[in-house]
Amino acid sequence: MSRAIKHLLIGGLIIMTIAVPNAATANKKNLELTIVNPKNLYDPTPNGYSTAVIVPREARVAYISGQGGQDSTGALSPDFAVQVKQAYANLRTALDALGARPDQVAKLTVFVVDHDMSKLEVLSRNVKEMFGGALPAQTLIPVPKLAIDPMLFEVEAVVMLD
């Protein structure tokens, strides 16, 4: 390789290194989700979600696949409330693996087998326990069946990473 090409390559690497912010700089941005619940719409917070959530432009976004109520051995309780509690524990484990917190979750989609109002109370309680006042946007989809026959609940998430 000629001397001139080596100098160009080294100069390019120096310029690229200067232009790329380091992790410490990126984390100093203090990125936060903006929760929007318009006053002229139904207040969704008693049911454990927000109408809309804005992710800052500078944020990276991660998608967490549906988490069911299986424990670490793959066992599923036949009880809906137990499955929901375990699914949210599994979601928390996935967040931890990403280095994220619950207040960085922008959107949840939940799938409920044979949904009825008694299940909504269980869902609302678990969401409020995990997310507190930083309630993500959320969609509940009633379904007749999920991937595994005894599975009664599944939750997937869109997460802002800073």
Side-chain angles (χ1 to χ4, degrees):
M1 183 180 309
S2 75
R3 186 177 172 107
I5 292 175
K6 285 182 184 176
H7 285 291
L8 284 173
L9 288 173
I10 292 170
L13 289 173
I14 291 170
I15 290 169
M16 287 181 359
T17 303
I18 292 170
V20 176
N22 62 29
T25 303
N27 288 336
K28 287 182 183 173
K29 290 180 184 176
N30 197 18
L31 300 175
E32 291 184 13
L33 297 171
T34 302
I35 294 173
V36 180
N37 287 310
K39 298 278 185 230
N40 57 340
L41 290 179
Y42 165 79
D43 180 11
T45 56
N47 292 323
Y49 68 98
S50 295
T51 301
V53 176
I54 301 169
V55 175
R57 181 178 316 187
E58 303 83 18
R60 293 181 306 139
V61 176
Y63 299 86
I64 298 178
S65 295
Q67 299 299 305
Q70 300 95 328
D71 64 18
S72 62
T73 69
L76 274 166
S77 168
D79 183 81
F80 178 77
V82 173
Q83 283 195 30
V84 171
K85 188 169 192 66
Q86 183 63 53
Y88 279 103
N90 294 346
L91 177 59
R92 183 59 189 250
T93 299
L95 288 172
D96 290 346
L98 294 173
R101 302 174 312 275
D103 67 350
Q104 291 173 265
V105 174
K107 171 79 166 75
L108 295 174
T109 303
V110 297
F111 304 90
V112 180
V113 173
D114 300 326
H115 174 65
D116 63 33
M117 293 310 286
S118 68
K119 292 179 179 175
L120 184 59
E121 190 278 323
V122 171
L123 296 174
S124 297
R125 182 177 63 246
N126 279 274
V127 169
K128 289 175 186 176
E129 284 174 12
M130 182 163 178
F131 296 98
L135 296 170
Q138 184 172 188
T139 300
L140 184 153
I141 302 173
V143 295
K145 182 178 176 179
L146 288 165
I148 302 167
D149 280 333
M151 189 182 232
L152 302 173
F153 178 77
E154 188 171 8
V155 56
E156 63 182 32
V158 178
V159 183
M160 173 191 69
L161 301 176
D162 47 21

